[in-house]
Each structure stands twice: as C-alpha cells, then as structure tokens.
Amino acid sequence: MANVGEMSGDRSFSRRSILLGGSAVAAAAVGVAERTHRAQAQQPARQRPPNILFMLVDNLGYGELGVYGGGATRGAPTPRIDRLASEGLRLTNMNMEAQCTPSRSAILTGRYAIRSGTHSVPFGGVADGLTQWEVTLAESLSAAGYATALNGKWHLGSHNGRLPNDQGFDEWYGIPRITDEAMWPGSPGYSPNIMPPEQIMEGRKGEPSRDVKIYDLEQRRLIDAEITRRSIAFMERQARTKKPFFAYATLTQPHLPTLPNPAFVGKTGNGDWADMLAEMDHNVGEMLDAVDRLGIRDETIVIFASDNGPEFLRDWEGWAGPWKGQYFTAWEGGIRVPFLIRWPGKVPAGRVSDEIVHAVDLFPTLAKFAGAEVPKDRPIDGVDQSDFFTGKTEKSARDGILIWCADRLQAVKWKNFKVHFYQQETMVSPPVKLAIPLLFNLYTNPREDQDKQITDSWIFGPVLKMVGEFEASTKKYPLIAMGTPDPYVPPGARP
C-alpha cells in the first residue's frame, strides 16, 4: 500500500498509511437542455431560475476586507464589498483548497481536486487541466438553459480542448494560467523562444480560442478593469434577452505582482497594495451597480469569494487575519477565506455564520437554486447547502472537510477540531510526515500553536470515518492522475 504522499503513482491508500506515513455526457446534456427549455417556456418570468454573478478574487486573505477586520487597517476601506456583506450571508468558516488550480477545480466540479488530476498548480509547461470527462458547473447550467461566460483567470488548462469554452462556457476572455507570468517579458535573460509568454485569450463555445495580446506588466495593471467591463457587458446582453445567466468574473487581484490599475496608482497614499484593494472594491461595486441598473437585483444571486489564502512572497504578502499561514499550506490561513452571498428575499440579510462550508459545495448548491443537474455517475464531494444559505436551517449540511496540499491529505477538520498528518510551515517548507498527528481545538487555539495541542484522541474516530469514506470511493472511482490526456474514460466504463 502506498501512503498519501505517493498517491500520484499508486492510487490506492489506507487510513493506516495516512497516520503512519503519511460522448454519452454530451448527449445527456442535450436532452437535459431540451427538457429544461420546454419547462422554462411554460413558466412565468418571476419563476424562472436566478441569474448568478460569481466574483472570485485571487489570493485574497481572510483579514483583508473591512468586514473581516481589514479594509482601513490595510490602507484602503472596502465600502462596496462591506455593504454586500450586510445584504446577505457572510461566512467565517468558508474553506477552499490550498492552491489556485485545485480550488477552481473544486468550485466547478463539486469534487476534491485530487480526484480530477488538478491537485497542484502546474509549473514549467507540464500537461495541465481538467479532462473532458469532468462535468463543470458551467456545463450543468448551460444544459439547464443558462448563458455562461468566464472573464478573468482560468488556470484549469492552457490549450484548446481544455479552455473555458471547452468546459461549458459560451464565451470567455482572460488568462489561461497564472498572473506572475506577466513578469516574464521584462525579466533579465528571458527569451520567448525558450518559454513563450502567457497570452490574454478569448474564445466562444464551438470555436478554438485565440490569442489577443501578450500578458505583460502593462496588461497586468489593466486586466481587472477589462474583466469588469466585459462581465457587465455580458450581463447587459443577457438581461435584454431575459435568459438566465452565469457570469463568472474571476478577477486577478491581489495575486503577485500586486500592481494597481493606473487610475488607482497613488489613490490611497498607502502604496500599491492598498491602491489595489481600493481598485478591487471599485470593480466589485461596478458589477453590483450594473445588476441594480439592469433591474435584476431580486433575481440575481451574487457571490464574492477568494480562491485560497493570502500571498506569501514579499513585497506582496497578504494577511489571513486571526489565522496562521498562507496559501499552499493546510493552516487555517491557507484555506479559510472571505465568502459573501446575496439573493434578496431568499438569503436573509445581515446573517453571519461560522458553520463549515467547502468550495465543493457550491456546484450542488447553485445547481439546486438553478434547477440544474449534478452528475450521478461519479463521486461528488460537495453537499447541497441551499437550506443553510436560505436560512431554513442554521446548520451546515456538513461537519467536516478533507484538506489536501498537492497530492497529500495533509489535515482534516471536523467541527471545531483539526488533525494535521503533516507539518508544513510555509509554501516553501518541506512537508514532514508526523509520527503522531497534531490535534487542535480551533476555538481555544485558532493560531494552531503546537504548545497548545489537545489530547482528546476520541476525535480521531469521526476524522478517520471521513477518511475511510473517501478511500472507499477511490476503489470504485480511481483518482485521475495529473496530466492525464483526453479522451479519458474511467476504468470499467464503456468507452
């Protein structure tokens, strides 16, 4: 048996090893779309599915926004985002995966990224992206009659066949990979003959995507304003057609290099980072204003979230507020993020909850709201949180999560307790397997200090039950290895 750290080779593993070592789909989609369109045509407009505006920012720490203890204390108030928080539900225990690629995969598939071959940020031009076998939230919503668009960062595939317009989005504009590649063109010794620069791209469903321009430092400063502009234009077009829409605005700030738009340079007097925060708040406000101007506020679900914890590298270091750590680690600061959701008349305003929610829950929850389908032919780790979000219950539909760092099951959270099987201080620190796992009570030890460990070993019972259930699912549905090419067919399935 292989341990968790060896999962990219032998995909079988056990609970004991964790402690001790650490085109049928397309046809179905068409059928769903036809049935949904017929049903929607018979519904009065007020009963049609809600629009969805999902604003996902990149590497924003838990403590950066005013409503989470930041804002002015970080050099720039965030009044528009703070107001959004007061108009719906604010979560204080929203968990993402620890890196950009896996968190975006989890949001769109409802599955832990370890299942999908997307457990790590791909570096150095290696094979990357979701296989076409995966069904995304955009594909499900599209089959349910939604217009879909992604404007911003993708990070789930770099080439035609694995870009947003290949995974359910009618249109897209943005960058396929990571923002720090904008630094390449101006770097000493860089040559595009050795490593081609990242391109800003755009594409439409059914057509190859095309390169628009090189993503350099000038474009890095300009791109979020363009993402905002295009997201608003998409919502305007759909509002005229009365068709429900999914506008996925994946802003690139504050990912390094954290450089504000020229219109915001010097605006706060507190440096680039604060100017960027002011720009982010402005862009969010522009999209919220568009929803109001179009008269669709009451029929639009608005979500604001970060994809993982804050930046680690200086001079762009972020802040996780009361939590320890940054992204690429299993500390609370690496996974616990801001999350706001507004849906007037459905999601009670002014509500704050510390109940556990995970990125994988967003697919089944939004699908429920939209009347869309969730795949039934594969493990879905997400749970439907619609009753919790709408206030029908005060309790989350889950009480724990698995925390993956790359292909390692690094920790598990259950209620207010947390078990670490590996110790890794920062993103550049080597992960060390622990002979005896670390055990914390996050209520009494939110910083996860080792000298405040608890000895309540009974907690391993529910924790290992969660691990065991995941293990059992991998025997029937093996994990997809990173870099798996298309076409992918699960073992035992008909090609």
Side-chain angles (χ1 to χ4, degrees):
M1 289 288 184
N3 61 44
V4 176
E6 296 165 344
M7 286 188 345
S8 59
D10 181 356
R11 289 315 199 189
S12 61
F13 59 104
S14 67
R15 275 179 284 177
R16 185 174 184 274
S17 67
I18 291 172
L19 287 177
L20 299 182
S23 91
V25 172
V30 171
V32 171
E34 291 174 348
R35 293 194 302 272
T36 303
H37 289 155
R38 287 196 298 269
Q40 288 181 1
Q42 299 170 0
Q43 293 178 336
R46 60 186 172 82
Q47 292 181 350
R48 290 180 182 173
N51 307 308
I52 302 168
L53 169 60
F54 192 148
M55 297 173 285
L56 183 71
V57 294
D58 199 0
N59 301 351
L60 182 75
Y62 182 95
E64 313 287 17
L65 303 174
V67 74
Y68 283 92
T73 67
R74 295 290 282 145
T78 53
R80 298 308 307 274
I81 301 175
D82 294 351
R83 187 190 312 168
L84 175 64
S86 71
E87 295 168 342
L89 169 64
R90 175 167 65 92
L91 297 183
T92 57
N93 200 352
M94 178 65 184
N95 300 269
M96 293 287 181
E97 301 227 23
Q99 304 178 33
C100 300
T101 292
S103 61
R104 290 157 198 271
S105 176
I107 290 169
L108 287 179
T109 66
R111 290 153 51 86
Y112 288 122
I114 187 70
R115 294 192 189 274
S116 306
T118 49
H119 58 66
S120 300
V121 169
F123 291 108
V126 299
D128 63 340
L130 291 168
T131 66
Q132 280 293 314
W133 178 80
E134 294 288 346
V135 175
T136 70
L137 173 61
E139 288 176 297
S140 180
L141 292 175
S142 182
Y146 275 68
T148 57
L150 182 147
N151 288 291
K153 173 179 169 178
W154 172 236
H155 219 180
L156 291 172
S158 299
H159 306 289
N160 281 306
R162 292 196 173 180
L163 292 169
N165 53 326
D166 305 304
Q167 302 280 8
F169 289 97
D170 296 328
E171 59 185 80
W172 87 286
Y173 172 93
I175 55 173
R177 295 185 302 278
I178 196 166
T179 294
D180 51 79
E181 291 185 27
M183 303 167 71
W184 289 2
S187 298
Y190 170 75
S191 170
N193 296 323
I194 298 173
M195 198 71 169
E198 183 168 20
Q199 298 279 340
I200 297 176
M201 304 179 73
E202 66 179 349
R204 305 185 74 84
K205 187 180 291 184
E207 302 174 4
S209 293
R210 68 179 187 91
D211 296 342
V212 176
K213 61 186 74 172
I214 292 175
Y215 188 48
D216 56 16
L217 290 180
E218 178 185 9
Q219 294 303 318
R220 195 275 166 278
R221 290 184 182 272
L222 299 175
I223 193 168
D224 275 21
E226 183 65 8
I227 292 168
T228 301
R229 185 190 73 79
R230 286 177 178 254
S231 297
I232 291 172
F234 171 74
M235 292 191 290
E236 289 172 342
R237 293 197 305 273
Q238 304 315 317
R240 288 194 294 269
T241 67
K242 306 297 184 182
K243 186 174 185 178
F245 64 75
F246 173 38
Y248 196 27
T250 53
L251 297 164
T252 66
Q253 299 283 22
H255 193 291
L256 72 88
T258 311
L259 301 173
N261 185 283
F264 286 84
V265 173
K267 185 168 185 177
T268 67
N270 295 318
D272 281 349
W273 209 98
D275 291 346
M276 175 282 304
L277 193 58
E279 178 195 353
M280 177 188 293
D281 191 68
H282 170 82
N283 288 332
V284 170
E286 289 285 289
M287 287 184 272
L288 294 175
D289 287 346
V291 169
D292 289 347
R293 185 175 68 252
L294 294 169
I296 56 175
R297 180 188 181 100
D298 289 350
E299 60 214 64
T300 301
I301 297 170
V302 175
I303 292 174
F304 176 93
S306 178
D307 63 346
N308 45 243
E311 286 287 353
F312 166 74
L313 299 175
R314 297 177 180 175
D315 297 323
W316 305 290
E317 187 175 10
W319 187 45
W323 314 111
K324 175 180 180 177
Q326 290 103 346
Y327 63 177
F328 281 74
T329 72
W331 303 119
E332 286 297 286
I335 60 170
R336 199 183 289 220
V337 301
F339 181 89
L340 316 171
I341 180 170
R342 182 187 80 185
W343 189 7
K346 301 292 195 301
V347 173
R351 184 165 164 237
V352 181
S353 176
D354 195 54
E355 290 288 297
I356 297 176
V357 179
H358 192 277
V360 293
D361 299 339
L362 296 177
F363 186 162
T365 303
L366 292 175
K368 178 66 174 294
F369 287 148
E373 294 188 3
V374 177
K376 297 179 175 61
D377 63 343
R378 65 203 66 198
I380 299 295
D381 299 298
V383 295
D384 175 12
Q385 298 282 11
S386 58
D387 284 351
F388 170 56
F389 283 0
T390 56
K392 294 177 182 177
T393 176
E394 291 298 315
K395 292 294 183 180
S396 168
R398 68 164 63 249
D399 57 14
I401 60 169
L402 306 181
I403 304 170
W404 302 90
C405 289
D407 57 358
R408 301 180 306 278
L409 181 55
Q410 196 133 317
V412 176
K413 278 173 68 170
W414 179 74
K415 295 189 175 181
N416 55 297
F417 301 102
K418 191 169 177 185
V419 175
H420 286 259
F421 301 114
Y422 287 75
Q423 183 169 355
Q424 183 187 15
E425 292 302 315
T426 71
M427 66 179 293
V428 297
S429 304
V432 178
K433 297 176 186 177
L434 295 166
I436 300 176
L438 299 174
L439 179 56
F440 302 122
N441 182 334
L442 294 172
Y443 286 164
T444 59
N445 185 13
R447 297 288 299 175
E448 298 171 87
D449 294 329
Q450 287 185 237
D451 60 352
K452 296 180 181 178
Q453 286 188 71
I454 59 175
T455 57
D456 302 277
S457 57
W458 63 268
I459 294 163
F460 287 117
V463 164
L464 292 181
K465 181 176 184 291
M466 293 167 57
V467 175
E469 290 170 350
F470 181 87
E471 290 173 353
S473 72
T474 66
K475 294 176 182 177
K476 185 175 181 181
Y477 303 93
L479 307 179
I480 300 173
M482 192 168 177
T484 295
D486 286 313
Y488 170 77
V489 179
R494 292 182 179 180

